[in-house]
């Protein structure tokens, strides 16, 4: 027979007290977070504030002190954060889409999965490779030192596959500056230059990429690239007839390019906005 319910009285009272305490604690936390939001908007000084999931769309936070603030998943889209102090702030999966961060201090900030698309980062202070796991496409004023080699190379890949050869060339330039011994970026830049009829420059890129691939023991790739470079030099004006070297070589090089392209982008966390 089941024991009388009254024998569970102390246990039930304890459970109710715990549940009530948890509710009160949760309410206190939410109230504290609301207080932090109000303090930020009123004083613009909110170091170490709890601002997780806060809705701060288009907020005027110029020169605000948000150092070490907890801003995970907060929505700061189109916010004005020029000159803001965000040192050590946790911006994990935070939306800064289209935000103005001119001159903001983001050193030590956590930018895992942060949406910085279309943001203005002119003059912003960022750690080296700080944007490696954020989403920064179409952001302006980004210092190349804040982006990793894989970021820059993959951005060039994306631009090239979308037919934006000039933009792709610019990204590959920056990738090469980061990692000058990476033959794939020399090859990729050569392809993007060839697409723009910069044949002498493309030939030089193919030749240098060939030497790097040869050092890696990839002689067939090196031979193909040297053949393409020679054809470019023979036909610098691009006046090849019909289906000459151009289409055939570019198709072959593009196949190598896609086969060997870094896949670091697959490690990026998906957008959460």
């Amino acid at each position: 027979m089941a024991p009388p319910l009254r024998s569970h009285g102390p246990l039930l009272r304890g459970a109710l007290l715990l549940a009530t305490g948890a509710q009160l604690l949760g309410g206190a936390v939410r109230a504290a977070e609301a207080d932090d939001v109000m303090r930020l908007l009123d004083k613009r000084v909110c170091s170490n504030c709890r601002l997780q999931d806060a809705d701060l769309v288009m907020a005027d936070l110029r020169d605000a002190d948000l150092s070490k603030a907890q801003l995970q998943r907060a929505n700061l889209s189109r916010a004005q954060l020029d000159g803001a102090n965000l040192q050590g702030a946790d911006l994990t999966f935070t939306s800064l889409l289209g935000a103005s961060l001119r001159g903001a201090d983001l050193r030590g900030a956590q930018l895992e999965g942060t949406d910085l698309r279309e943001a203005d980062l002119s003059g912003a202070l960022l750690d080296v490779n700080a944007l490696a796991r954020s989403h920064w496409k179409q952001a302006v004023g980004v210092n190349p030192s804040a982006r990793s080699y894989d970021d820059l190379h993959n951005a060039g890949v994306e631009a090239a596959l979308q037919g934006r050869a000039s933009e792709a060339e610019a990204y590959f330039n920056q990738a090469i500056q980061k990692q000058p011994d990476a033959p794939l970026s020399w090859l990729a830049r050569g392809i993007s230059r060839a697409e723009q009829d910069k044949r002498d420059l493309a030939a030089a890129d193919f030749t240098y990429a060939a030497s790097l691939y040869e050092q890696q023991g990839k002689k067939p790739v090196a031979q193909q690239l040297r053949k393409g470079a020679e054809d470019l030099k023979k036909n610098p004006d691009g006046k090849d007839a019909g289906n000459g070297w151009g289409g055939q070589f570019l198709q072959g090089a593009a196949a190598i390019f896609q086969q060997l392209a870094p896949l670091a982008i697959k490690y990026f966390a998906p957008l959460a906005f």
Side-chain angles (χ1 to χ4, degrees):
M1 178 181 296
L5 287 176
R6 62 176 177 272
S7 68
H8 293 284
L11 293 176
L12 289 172
R13 285 195 296 274
L16 286 171
L17 286 172
L18 286 172
T20 302
Q23 289 178 349
L24 291 172
L25 179 59
V29 169
R30 287 191 294 273
E33 291 174 352
D35 288 344
D36 282 352
V37 171
M38 294 303 296
R39 180 154 61 96
L40 171 64
L41 295 175
D42 184 33
K43 303 294 185 181
R44 297 190 189 180
V45 177
C46 212
S47 180
N48 291 296
C49 278
R50 290 167 291 185
L51 299 164
Q52 297 95 325
D53 303 298
D55 186 355
L56 295 163
V57 176
M58 300 183 69
D60 186 350
L61 299 171
R62 286 171 288 187
D63 299 315
D65 182 2
L66 284 159
S67 55
K68 298 183 180 178
Q70 301 300 306
L71 283 155
Q72 301 95 311
R73 304 172 305 279
N75 192 346
L76 285 153
S77 300
R78 312 294 174 190
Q80 296 291 322
L81 287 154
D82 297 342
N85 180 5
L86 287 155
Q87 286 191 65
D90 191 340
L91 295 161
T92 304
F93 295 113
T94 299
S95 175
L96 286 160
L97 174 68
S100 183
L101 291 148
R102 298 171 63 89
D105 192 341
L106 289 152
R107 290 173 295 181
Q110 297 180 48
L111 298 170
E112 180 86 13
T114 307
D115 187 358
L116 287 160
R117 294 171 300 164
E118 303 175 22
D120 188 347
L121 289 158
S122 302
L125 300 176
L126 290 155
D127 298 327
V128 174
N129 295 339
L131 303 181
R133 297 185 67 81
S134 67
H135 307 279
W136 48 264
K137 301 297 167 51
Q138 288 82 53
V140 298
V142 181
N143 189 324
S145 68
R147 297 179 291 198
S148 70
Y149 164 76
D150 288 337
D151 294 333
L152 293 165
H153 178 86
N154 285 328
V157 171
E158 182 177 332
L161 293 177
Q162 294 177 2
R164 304 194 307 273
S166 178
E167 182 181 341
E169 180 185 356
Y171 280 126
F172 293 134
N173 282 339
Q174 295 176 39
I176 287 169
Q177 290 174 9
K178 279 270 187 179
Q179 198 165 315
D181 59 348
L184 185 59
S185 292
W186 289 89
L187 165 57
R189 189 176 71 175
I191 293 173
S192 64
R193 285 176 164 177
E195 291 286 353
Q196 300 173 77
D197 288 328
K198 299 178 180 179
R199 300 194 171 203
D200 286 339
L201 293 174
D205 281 349
F206 292 150
T207 300
Y208 193 73
S211 66
L212 293 173
Y213 276 124
E214 198 163 47
Q215 292 173 23
Q216 296 179 1
K218 298 174 181 175
K219 292 185 178 180
V221 176
Q223 291 171 358
Q224 184 179 7
L225 292 177
R226 287 201 174 93
K227 173 65 166 59
E230 287 301 318
D231 288 343
L232 277 170
K233 292 174 183 176
K234 292 175 185 176
N235 229 340
D237 298 325
K239 295 179 180 178
D240 43 344
N243 294 324
W245 79 269
Q248 294 177 12
F249 174 71
L250 284 176
Q251 287 175 8
I256 297 169
F257 167 48
Q258 292 183 6
Q259 179 184 0
L260 300 176
L263 298 176
I265 197 168
K266 73 181 180 182
Y267 298 115
F268 288 1
L271 286 175
F273 315 108

